[in-house]
Amino acid sequence: MIDVLVTGGAGFIGSNFVRHALAAHPDWRVTTLDKLTYAGRIETLSDVMDHPRHAFVRGDIADDVVATPLVQRSHIVVHFAAETHVDRSIASAGDFIRTDMIGTYVLLEAARNAPHLKRFVQISTDEVYGSVPEGASRETDEIKPRNPYSASKAGADRLAYSYFATYDVPVIVTRASNNYGPYQFPEKIIPLFVTNALDERPLPLYGDGLNVRDWLHVMDHCRAVDLLIERGVNGETYNIGGGNEIANIDLTHRILELTGRPSSLIQPVKDRPGHDRRYALDTSKARAHGWAPQVDFVDGLRETVEWYRANQAWWRPIKEQDAAFRAYYASQYGPARP
Ligand code: NAD
Ligand code: TDX
C-alpha cells in the first residue's frame, strides 16, 4: 500500500482530492490532516469518514508533534492546508504567516527525514505572480505577490523549492488558477454569489467588476495533481489553469441567469485594497505531461449552481447559524439580513 498524507483535506479542494484519490487509487491509504478551522468541516468528508482506506486526524500542520510522524510514514504528501481567503488576509495576516509559511516549514522539516517519501506536492497558486495585465504567466516568470495571502503562499512555494535544492526533498510545486465546484466555502465569489442569489440577497461586486479570473474546475485541478504525482519532475513548478478567463461582472450575470434572479441584485461595493486586476496562466508545461482540463466552464458552472441548490444542508448552517461567519460577513459587507 502507498501511504498518502493530504493536509487540508476537510477544505474545498483537499476534500475533492481525497474523494478522487480513494476512487482512483485502490492501493492508496489516505490520511487527512486538518485543523478544522472556520473553513474546514467534517461534514465535507462525511461520505469518506468510514472508508476503510481513509483516516482523519484533527491537527495543526504547524504542530510538529502531530505533523512530523504523519509525514515520516508517508510515501506521498499533498499539502493543501492553508489560510486561503485574500480578504481575510487583508483584515489580519497573522494566521496566514503561521499556517501557510510556518506550517509548511514544519512539514518540510519532517520531509527531510522521511524514509519512504517519493513526492511532496506544494499546492501553490497563480496569485504568486501578482497581477498580469496581459499575456499569461509562465513558471519561469518573476513572482510578485501583492497581498498578504499571496505573499505567504509565495514564501511557502519558494521554501518548498529550497528544500528540494538544499536537501533533495522530492518537491513539486503546482500553481493553480481560481477553482470552482462543490464544497467551496461560501465566502469565495462563486459560492457566495450563488447562495446569495438563491436567497435573493445582494451580490457585493468589488470595484468596477472588471477584474478577471481564470476558472478551473476543482476536479480538473485534482486530476492534474494526481497526474503530476506520477509524472512530475522533482524541483519543477507546474501551472494549472482552466483557460476560462472571465470578468467578475460577466461571471455575476451568468450566476444570475442560472439562478433566475434579476440583475438588480448586483450591489457595487468598495474595491478590495490592492485588488489584482487579472491572473492568467500558460499551462503548456502541465499539458506536455498529458494533462488538459476536461470540464467545460458553461457546464461546470451550471452543475455547481445545481450542487448548491441541492446541498443547502451543507451551506445554510454556515451562513445562517455560524456566529463567526456572520461576524465576518458583517465586517466585510455590513450586517446580513436576519
Ligand atoms: P479552503 O480554505 O477551502 O481549505 C483549507 C483547509 O485547510 C481547511 O480544511 C482548513 O481547516 C485547513 N487548515 C487551515 N489551516 C490549517 C492548519 N494550520 N493545519 C491544518 N489544517 C489547516 O482552501 P482551498 O480553496 O481548498 O485551497 C486549498 C489549497 O489550494 C490552498 O493551499 C490554496 O492556497 C490553494 N489554491 C486554492 C485555489 C482556489 O481557487 N481555491 C486556487 C489555487 C490554489
Ligand atoms: O464579495 C466578493 N466580491 C467580489 O467582487 C468577493 C468575495 C470577491 N470578489 C471578486 C474579487 C476577485 O476579483 O471576485 C474575484 C474572486 O475573489 P475570491 O473568490 O475571493 O478569490 P481570489 O481572491 O481570486 O482568490 C482565489 O483564487 C486564488 C482563492 O481564494 C485563493 O485561495 C486562490 O489562491
Side-chain angles (χ1 to χ4, degrees):
M1 294 296 276
I2 295 174
D3 283 304
V4 181
L5 177 66
V6 178
T7 71
F12 164 46
I13 308 171
S15 64
N16 279 284
F17 185 80
V18 168
R19 262 185 293 277
H20 164 81
L22 290 168
H25 296 282
D27 58 337
W28 282 15
R29 213 159 34 198
V30 177
T31 300
T32 296
L33 170 62
D34 198 296
K35 187 180 177 183
L36 299 182
T37 67
Y38 79 92
R41 301 176 65 76
I42 207 72
E43 294 82 355
T44 300
L45 286 171
S46 53
D47 54 334
V48 290
M49 283 308 275
D50 295 328
H51 193 290
R53 286 184 288 108
H54 180 231
F56 179 81
V57 177
R58 183 173 190 177
D60 189 333
I61 56 165
D63 177 356
D64 65 332
V65 174
V66 179
T68 298
L70 294 176
V71 172
Q72 291 192 336
R73 70 170 200 213
S74 298
H75 300 93
I76 299 169
V77 174
V78 191
H79 174 32
F80 291 101
E83 288 293 332
T84 66
H85 190 41
V86 172
D87 292 324
R88 290 188 192 248
S89 83
I90 291 167
S92 174
D95 284 346
F96 290 75
I97 309 303
R98 271 188 291 279
T99 288
D100 302 10
M101 295 182 69
I102 297 174
T104 301
Y105 156 72
V106 168
L107 298 177
L108 288 165
E109 273 295 306
R112 278 176 68 181
N113 304 309
H116 320 293
L117 192 69
K118 296 274 176 297
R119 195 64 95 192
F120 185 108
V121 186
Q122 173 62 25
I123 302 289
S124 188
T125 166
D126 63 355
E127 295 211 13
V128 299
Y129 295 112
S131 198
V132 185
E134 53 193 32
S137 304
R138 302 194 60 142
E139 291 85 349
T140 46
D141 285 357
E142 189 182 352
I143 56 174
K144 287 187 186 168
R146 292 168 20 92
N147 60 62
Y149 162 71
S150 54
S152 63
K153 290 295 293 185
D157 172 319
R158 289 302 83 195
L159 191 67
Y161 174 75
S162 80
Y163 271 62
F164 162 75
T166 312
Y167 306 113
D168 252 344
V169 175
V171 168
I172 62 170
V173 176
T174 60
R175 295 179 182 154
S177 65
N178 283 60
N179 281 222
Y180 72 104
Y183 295 108
Q184 188 167 27
F185 195 77
E187 67 182 356
K188 307 286 172 75
I189 189 171
I190 289 183
L192 177 68
F193 281 18
V194 169
T195 57
N196 278 15
L198 290 173
D199 283 349
E200 298 182 65
R201 292 178 186 217
L203 311 188
L205 186 64
Y206 295 160
D208 62 9
L210 295 178
N211 298 66
V212 170
R213 297 294 182 266
D214 165 16
W215 292 96
L216 170 70
H217 193 275
V218 65
M219 290 315 299
D220 280 327
H221 187 182
C222 292
R223 284 186 282 266
V225 170
D226 188 351
L227 187 125
L228 291 168
I229 287 170
E230 292 278 316
R231 302 190 194 165
V233 175
N234 289 340
E236 294 292 320
T237 297
Y238 300 92
N239 288 341
I240 308 171
N244 299 300
E245 279 188 49
I246 185 169
N248 293 335
I249 180 74
D250 298 325
L251 172 68
T252 305
H253 281 295
R254 286 203 198 183
I255 290 171
L256 289 169
E257 265 169 47
L258 287 165
T259 50
R261 300 294 189 239
S263 47
S264 55
L265 283 184
I266 298 173
Q267 181 185 45
V269 297
K270 205 158 94 17
D271 208 355
R272 172 184 282 175
H275 194 174
D276 286 342
R277 195 61 164 170
R278 174 176 174 266
Y279 304 129
L281 292 176
D282 180 325
T283 58
S284 44
K285 191 169 167 186
R287 285 170 187 265
H289 285 279
W291 174 80
Q294 294 171 17
V295 183
D296 176 81
F297 187 56
V298 171
D299 297 339
L301 189 61
R302 191 184 59 243
E303 286 162 16
T304 300
V305 169
E306 287 318 308
W307 188 88
Y308 280 92
R309 205 196 289 281
N311 289 278
Q312 302 193 19
W314 182 80
W315 57 266
R316 281 206 183 278
I318 302 170
K319 289 189 81 174
E320 293 171 7
Q321 289 152 31
D322 184 330
F325 182 84
R326 292 176 71 79
Y328 162 75
Y329 198 97
S331 71
Q332 187 68 18
Y333 303 108
R337 258 185 7 214

